Amino acid sequence: EAGVVQSPRYKIIEKKQPVAFWCNPISGHNTLYWYRQNLGQGPELLIRYENEEAVDDSQLPKDRFSAERLKGVDSTLKIQPAELGDSAVYLCASSLGPTRPQFFGPGTRLTVL
Amino acid sequence: DQQVKQNSPSLSVQEGRISILNCDYTNSMFDYFLWYKKYPAEGPTFLISISSIKDKNEDGRFTVFLNKSAKHLSLHIVPSQPGDSAVYFCAASVRTGGGADGLTFGKGTHLIIQP
């Protein structure tokens, strides 16, 4: 069974530029999460989806971050404009439901110059 | 304020011996705990979980112990193998109420298995 797929794996941009990350969850997983992991820290939740509905986006910096999960499968996370402090690894995870273990993709390492 | 704490940034254990990784939490609402393993340039890999209604869960070489009164859990790996060298994250969530928060992670412990 294929795992969570993320692209791109690496992205380098200049500050104030926009950037987007894509995630394809494990087939049949209705719950999808986006996390951000800073160097030396554990992942921190940005947003959680149940199917196409964002049920928890309280940690998403809404002035510059946006996310969507059209049709309840793939998801895109966008930053516009990016700031230096956005440099981090962005992880996507999915699970069969909100009370089941989450499975992570390889992440996208973002560097903002 | 860190709700999940892993106070040992690194741990070195000899191959074949037991590795014990510790984790403390402060939020008494947490009722589901997980351990993840992470290799460089990869996402975290799920290892084992435990519900707050249990105090032990075992899966092969991995056992997780939960002490709710102390708000403490630990992961035991027996015997330790070279492939176990990785960063281990403790995570917790609140599952009651019909849904679940996202996971709250500790900062991780880098386990190094010495030959």
Side-chain angles (χ1 to χ4, degrees), chain A residues 72-84:
Chain A
V73 181
D74 295 0
S75 178
T76 302
L77 178 69
K78 298 177 181 178
I79 308 175
Q80 183 171 9
E83 297 179 352
L84 294 177

Side-chain angles (χ1 to χ4, degrees), chain A residues 9-10 33 35 37 40-45 48 50 56 91 98-107 109, chain B residues 2 32 34 36 38 41-46 49 89 93 95 98-108:
Chain A
R9 291 294 313 275
Y10 304 91
Y33 307 79
Y35 289 84
Q37 184 175 16
Q41 305 291 319
E44 295 178 331
L45 179 70
R48 172 167 70 96
E50 295 296 336
D56 182 1
L91 292 160
T99 61
R100 305 294 294 275
Q102 296 175 28
F103 294 88
F104 285 80
R109 179 176 294 278
Chain B
Q2 277 261 303
Y32 185 51
L34 308 90
Y36 284 83
K38 186 181 183 305
E42 295 184 10
T45 301
F46 170 69
S49 64
F89 289 98
S93 74
R95 294 200 301 178
D101 296 346
L103 297 174
T104 299
F105 283 84
K107 291 186 177 183

Side-chain angles (χ1 to χ4, degrees), chain B residues 67-90:
Chain B
N67 182 333
K68 284 183 294 183
S69 61
K71 293 189 177 68
H72 177 83
L73 65 156
S74 60
L75 175 69
H76 292 209
I77 306 174
V78 184
S80 300
Q81 299 175 353
D84 296 330
S85 294
V87 176
Y88 288 77
F89 289 98
C90 172

